[in-house]
Amino acid sequence: MNRPLPFDPIARAAQLWEDRIGPSATMAAVTGVMRVQQIVQSAVDGALKPHGLTFARYEALVLLSFARRGALPMRVMGERLQLHPTSVTNIVDRLEKDGLVKRVPHPTDRRTTLVEITDDGHARLEDATKAVTDIDFGLVGLTPKQTEQLSDLLTKVRKATGDFDG
């Protein structure tokens, strides 16, 4: 990470925006969200790298571990992870290559293949989960209440844009 700046560049940009373009609250908020995303992504990537995982692969393992039978159809994985089928295939290919998941036939639908987490997948997931929770997923500087408020606010934006119904 670079040396911290002696000033907040987003606040400075917001002031310049205000002076030259107009109200800057939305620009500053979005720029802040984008910067925090970079910070959190870097922290999570750093915690997961020693475990041979990316966040996408980690999410897939978490999803499979939450499934009642430890297995889901790839189509369902894509829906739940909100990913394109090609991305899910790439994630599963890599996890399978590493022995963390396996493809198995669906017991009642011959057209469907399930992805099932393996014992090695469970073990890797447990270690990786400890790593990301030890760093609070990189989201530092907030109280538990503030973290909950942030999550609520982001959920409002996601819902307003049609990310989910409910």
Side-chain angles (χ1 to χ4, degrees):
M1 179 148 174
N2 297 334
R3 213 176 61 228
L5 293 173
F7 63 93
D8 180 352
I10 295 173
R12 172 117 8 124
Q15 185 57 57
L16 292 169
W17 184 282
E18 192 86 26
D19 295 344
R20 298 178 186 182
I21 298 172
S24 63
T26 302
M27 181 282 298
V30 169
T31 304
V33 167
M34 298 291 200
R35 179 62 185 130
V36 168
Q37 188 275 336
Q38 292 171 332
I39 291 166
V40 169
Q41 185 74 49
S42 178
V44 169
D45 286 348
L48 292 175
K49 188 174 183 176
H51 304 282
L53 295 172
T54 62
F55 189 65
R57 284 181 245 151
Y58 175 75
E59 278 187 307
L61 289 175
V62 170
L63 177 65
L64 291 171
S65 77
F66 287 168
R68 275 178 284 204
R69 292 179 176 84
L72 290 170
M74 287 180 58
R75 176 190 55 76
V76 173
M77 289 180 68
E79 289 170 1
R80 304 257 171 92
L81 296 172
Q82 297 176 302
L83 294 173
H84 188 275
T86 303
S87 296
V88 176
T89 299
N90 290 335
I91 289 166
V92 170
D93 285 349
R94 181 63 194 264
L95 290 170
E96 187 174 42
K97 180 179 170 278
D98 292 345
L100 305 178
V101 302
K102 62 184 176 183
R103 288 175 167 94
V104 296
H106 192 284
T108 59
D109 183 354
R110 293 183 355 188
R111 298 166 297 164
T112 302
T113 298
L114 299 176
V115 178
E116 181 178 277
I117 189 168
T118 64
D119 289 343
D120 286 347
H122 280 291
R124 180 90 54 98
L125 176 60
E126 185 177 334
D127 292 342
T129 297
K130 180 172 180 358
V132 292
T133 56
D134 282 352
I135 62 158
D136 288 330
F137 284 86
L139 190 62
V140 297
L142 300 177
T143 66
K145 175 95 171 135
Q146 290 169 328
T147 300
E148 186 176 323
Q149 290 170 327
L150 175 61
S151 184
D152 290 345
L153 292 170
L154 294 173
T155 299
K156 287 179 188 225
V157 172
R158 292 176 45 236
K159 186 173 181 184
T161 61
D163 196 38
F164 66 97
D165 292 326

